[in-house]
Amino acid sequence: MDLGLQGRRALVTGASRGIGAAVALALAAEGARVLAVARDQARLDTVAAACPAGAGSISARTADLAERTAIEGLAGEAATIDVLVLNSGGPPPGPVSEVTDGTWQAQFESMFLSMVRLTRLALPGMRQRRYGRILAVVSSGVVQPIASLGISNALRLAVVGWAKTLAGEVAADGVTVNCIAPGRIATDRIGELDRAAAARSGVSLEEVERQSRAAIPAGRTGEPAEFAALAAFLASSRASYMTGGVLRVDGGMIRGL
Ligand code: NAD
């Protein structure tokens, strides 16, 4: 299937590793010209170097999503893009009852406001050209809240509510807005969370990993490329009538309908 992404311009945030890097590579493999954004230039360069020969391209730009001015610095690029993939770092784990105002505010800036701000910069051009694909990476926690990730459970639902409202506002202009909820995708972040869970509970890392696998009907964690395949489809011209959704890439992990 030709996804029609040849020559399309995409901007992917949180693209120096994990899900964001995989999405950048998948879009480039389909011929898109991708701007990969994160804080670490060296890691972004590694992702750009992995761009397959004969594909589109990946260029890198450093920006801290928690800083309003850094996002404003992307205004020129954002104005010309067709595909915006909104992805950020996850919050620290721990009891939600102990989260301070400072942590809530900092996470709100990077996990929610960064998405709103970048979208505001990209939308006028998308509407004018009558083609836009906005994808927000959220979490299985928006359907089935995850213990010890209360910041994520709360702020990602804000993203879902915002995205759904926006989808209705821009659908007639050829712009779609969707959220993708990963279950457990094998990235550094998952390793970090498992190590933190093992330390908190006094259980071995191997046991934490075994228990999480046992909760996934597919019997394994997902690969970043499996997540990226859905992102590439939703970014494509083929997904023109899909908007306002929350799609799961979870191996069946989320129990609710
Ligand atoms: P990750 O931590 O491996 O990667 C996050 C990326 O965002 C990295 O490139 C990092 O450098 C970048 N980043 C973090 N903070 C940033 C900032 N302030 N400014 C710019 N870039 C920043 O995470 P991942 O596993 O690839 O997951 C991506 C998102 O999906 C995260 O928010 C994560 O919490 C969420 N998520 C992931 C899973 C999973 O199974 N991997 C499950 C549920 C939710």
Side-chain angles (χ1 to χ4, degrees):
M1 185 190 287
D2 178 7
L3 293 182
L5 282 167
Q6 192 72 38
R8 293 267 183 215
R9 288 173 186 268
L11 192 159
V12 183
T13 59
S16 65
R17 69 178 199 181
I19 285 173
V23 172
L25 286 164
L27 294 175
E30 294 296 328
R33 287 177 285 167
V34 180
L35 182 64
V37 176
R39 291 164 300 183
D40 188 318
Q41 183 71 47
R43 281 194 189 158
L44 284 169
D45 288 343
T46 306
V47 175
C51 182
S57 62
I58 300 181
S59 51
R61 182 77 185 273
T62 56
D64 186 338
L65 294 171
E67 290 177 10
R68 182 177 53 78
T69 50
I71 292 175
E72 285 167 357
L74 295 167
E77 290 88 345
T80 66
I81 57 165
D82 306 300
V83 177
L84 177 58
V85 181
L86 301 164
N87 173 54
S88 71
V96 75
S97 54
E98 293 172 13
V99 178
T100 62
D101 282 7
T103 300
W104 277 116
Q105 278 159 357
Q107 293 300 322
F108 181 73
E109 287 278 332
S110 62
M111 294 178 64
F112 180 79
L113 265 188
S114 66
M115 297 190 177
V116 174
R117 287 172 174 150
L118 261 177
T119 299
R120 272 199 305 251
L121 296 174
L123 255 184
M126 289 179 172
R127 293 177 107 165
Q128 193 184 6
R129 294 186 297 277
R130 303 196 68 75
Y131 186 96
R133 299 285 182 266
I134 298 171
L135 305 178
V137 178
V138 289
S139 165
S140 62
V142 302
V143 184
Q144 187 171 303
I146 305 167
S148 86
L149 280 175
I151 301 176
S152 171
N153 297 334
L155 296 184
R156 294 191 203 278
L157 272 171
V159 173
V160 170
W162 163 78
K164 182 68 179 171
T165 315
L166 181 66
E169 290 178 16
V170 299
D173 297 326
V175 179
T176 67
V177 187
N178 287 290
C179 296
I180 313 182
R184 278 179 61 87
I185 306 296
T187 66
D188 292 342
R189 160 92 177 157
I190 287 299
E192 289 160 9
L193 288 176
D194 284 353
R195 281 191 291 281
R200 263 197 322 273
S201 59
V203 171
S204 71
L205 177 60
E206 291 69 28
E207 180 56 17
V208 169
E209 290 170 345
R210 191 197 64 73
Q211 286 174 9
S212 345
R213 270 196 308 277
I216 304 172
R220 63 174 178 85
T221 50
E223 292 301 320
E226 292 178 299
F227 183 98
L230 175 62
F233 176 73
L234 288 174
S236 77
S237 53
R238 299 286 183 158
S240 48
Y241 203 57
M242 293 180 72
T243 195
V246 180
L247 293 99
R248 305 166 181 186
V249 181
D250 71 339
M253 188 185 94
I254 300 170
R255 298 292 163 175
L257 295 171

